[in-house]
Amino acid sequence: FKGSPPLSLLQLVSQIHVPDQPMQIVRVQIQNVLTHLAGKHAMKTGFDVQAISSTFIDLADASGTFSFASAGDFLANTPSRFRQNFLTESTQRNRYLGLFFQDEWRAFPNVMLSYGIRYERESIITDRNNWAPRVSVALDPFNSGKTVIRAGAGIFYNRVSEDVTLQATRFNGTNQQQFLVTSPQVLDLFPLVP
């Protein structure tokens, strides 16, 4: 029937519809590390700045989908619901900043201590307390350069995935909206499914 939404047979069988969902990420990134050598110390400082724009287009049910409760309902052309999504494009922008300072100190010819701190922040979450101290030691027990024992500890933060926050943006009840009809009286007003 001309103008009718497409029928998803995958939904008929399993009620699962996995459409092609394109995502576009545009990232501008600037990084720099500066190293200063002073005696037994190698001091490093640096930054990482990123501007990220992510756009997600959800094509699931953009033109509408009829669903059927059983194969018999499908054959009888009796849909149990009609669903259509609107406003299917979501965009978010994230600004990321990372700063660090580190010192590698050769305390003895066979012992190197490394310590430093890193700060990370991104704009899509409100957490601002992302200070991450780190410390490590490297020991050459035989002064041979062939065996090294290392130990270290620190606090590390992982960035929030754009996919996670895009999903939250999409399903916040405003950005992507859904039209769902389950009433048999209203479904009878729809044209016959081809």
Side-chain angles (χ1 to χ4, degrees):
F1 195 77
K2 192 172 185 179
S4 293
L7 172 66
S8 171
L9 291 180
L10 185 59
Q11 277 194 316
L12 171 68
V13 175
S14 65
Q15 292 295 313
I16 297 173
H17 183 55
V18 183
D20 179 26
Q21 298 178 348
M23 184 170 163
Q24 178 184 13
I25 299 176
V26 177
R27 179 184 313 264
V28 177
Q29 182 174 16
I30 300 170
Q31 291 181 323
N32 193 30
V33 176
L34 183 66
T35 301
H36 176 71
L37 302 175
K40 296 181 177 185
H41 295 269
M43 292 170 276
K44 296 179 183 180
T45 188
F47 66 88
D48 180 7
V49 177
Q50 300 179 36
I52 305 140
S53 176
S54 305
T55 301
F56 183 84
I57 302 170
D58 183 1
L59 300 177
D61 294 323
S63 59
T65 302
F66 285 103
S67 297
F68 300 87
S70 67
D73 286 348
F74 173 73
L75 294 173
N77 199 20
T78 309
S80 60
R81 74 176 186 178
F82 174 77
R83 180 176 63 192
Q84 186 172 7
N85 288 333
F86 298 92
L87 305 171
T88 59
E89 183 174 309
S90 300
T91 300
Q92 72 176 9
R93 287 169 181 72
N94 186 16
R95 306 292 181 257
Y96 169 80
L97 171 65
L99 306 169
F100 78 93
F101 174 80
Q102 166 185 321
D103 182 19
E104 293 178 350
W105 173 38
R106 186 162 297 279
F108 300 99
N110 64 334
V111 176
M112 180 176 293
L113 297 173
S114 180
Y115 47 90
I117 192 161
R118 183 174 181 91
Y119 178 76
E120 296 183 0
R121 178 179 172 187
E122 50 187 319
S123 62
I124 57 174
I125 57 174
T126 58
D127 184 12
R128 304 285 187 249
N129 187 22
N130 295 325
W131 292 98
R134 298 163 188 193
V135 64
S136 68
V137 62
L139 171 66
D140 179 357
F142 308 113
N143 274 335
S144 65
K146 295 182 179 182
T147 303
V148 178
I149 300 170
R150 300 178 190 274
I155 297 174
F156 298 86
Y157 296 98
N158 197 4
R159 290 192 47 238
V160 175
S161 167
E162 283 88 11
D163 187 46
V164 170
T165 53
L166 269 172
Q167 292 285 345
T169 301
R170 275 180 52 216
F171 299 122
N172 68 1
T174 302
N175 290 334
Q176 181 171 319
Q177 297 177 7
Q178 188 175 84
F179 175 68
L180 180 64
V181 177
T182 58
S183 168
Q185 293 83 6
V186 177
L187 284 171
D188 288 341
L189 300 174
F190 281 83
L192 292 178
V193 179

